[in-house]
Amino acid sequence: MSLKITFRLTDEDAELVALFKNVRSSGRSEMIRRMLKFAYRKAVEEDKINQQLERLEQVLSDINGRLLDVEKKLAEGVVVSQIQHQQEQEMKRQTSVRESAEALLQSFGMDLD
């Protein structure tokens, strides 16, 4: 397949003008073809990398969400654990007070049973 494409360089393309002045006119087409292929391959590669980065960002976002859930559950677990500990301490205190009261009453010969 043969397709002829032409274009003109503008004043903004001074770098390309300088580059092509150093190349024989018979080699310019091949040079332009190589440069276009290189640019196209790089663009395709960059698109693939960007897609992979987007997938990685999504995975990291999911992991971060899971970590936040775990942190929340751990924090709630610590609170529950603290409440349970406080309740156990209160029960021990009440038991101790009751046992002390019973011992005091028994020392005076009074039995609550």
Side-chain angles (χ1 to χ4, degrees):
M1 176 178 161
S2 180
L3 174 65
K4 185 175 183 177
I5 298 174
T6 60
F7 61 94
R8 295 191 185 280
L9 298 176
T10 65
D11 292 338
E12 296 173 4
D13 300 319
E15 291 174 311
L16 293 176
V17 170
L19 175 68
F20 288 124
K21 281 186 178 179
N22 294 325
V23 177
R24 287 183 289 137
S25 62
S26 61
R28 290 179 184 160
S29 289
E30 181 62 25
M31 184 176 183
I32 292 170
R33 232 183 337 275
R34 287 183 181 179
M35 291 171 69
L36 285 172
K37 285 179 184 179
F38 178 80
Y40 174 75
R41 289 177 185 143
K42 282 296 181 186
V44 168
E45 182 180 318
E46 191 173 300
D47 285 344
K48 287 180 184 178
I49 290 171
N50 286 335
Q51 289 173 357
Q52 290 173 339
L53 285 174
E54 287 175 11
R55 285 191 295 256
L56 283 173
E57 286 175 347
Q58 182 61 44
V59 167
L60 288 174
S61 177
D62 291 346
I63 290 171
N64 189 41
R66 290 178 186 172
L67 285 174
L68 291 174
D69 288 344
V70 168
E71 283 179 345
K72 182 179 176 183
K73 288 177 182 177
L74 285 174
E76 289 172 353
V78 169
V79 170
V80 168
S81 177
Q82 289 174 346
I83 291 171
Q84 287 174 339
H85 179 70
Q86 290 171 349
Q87 289 173 342
E88 289 170 0
Q89 291 298 322
E90 179 62 21
M91 288 177 62
K92 286 179 184 177
R93 188 186 66 75
Q94 289 175 4
T95 301
S96 176
V97 168
R98 188 178 64 249
E99 288 173 353
S100 295
E102 288 175 356
L104 181 65
L105 291 173
Q106 285 178 355
S107 69
F108 288 107
M110 301 175 88
D111 194 8
L112 295 176
D113 291 333

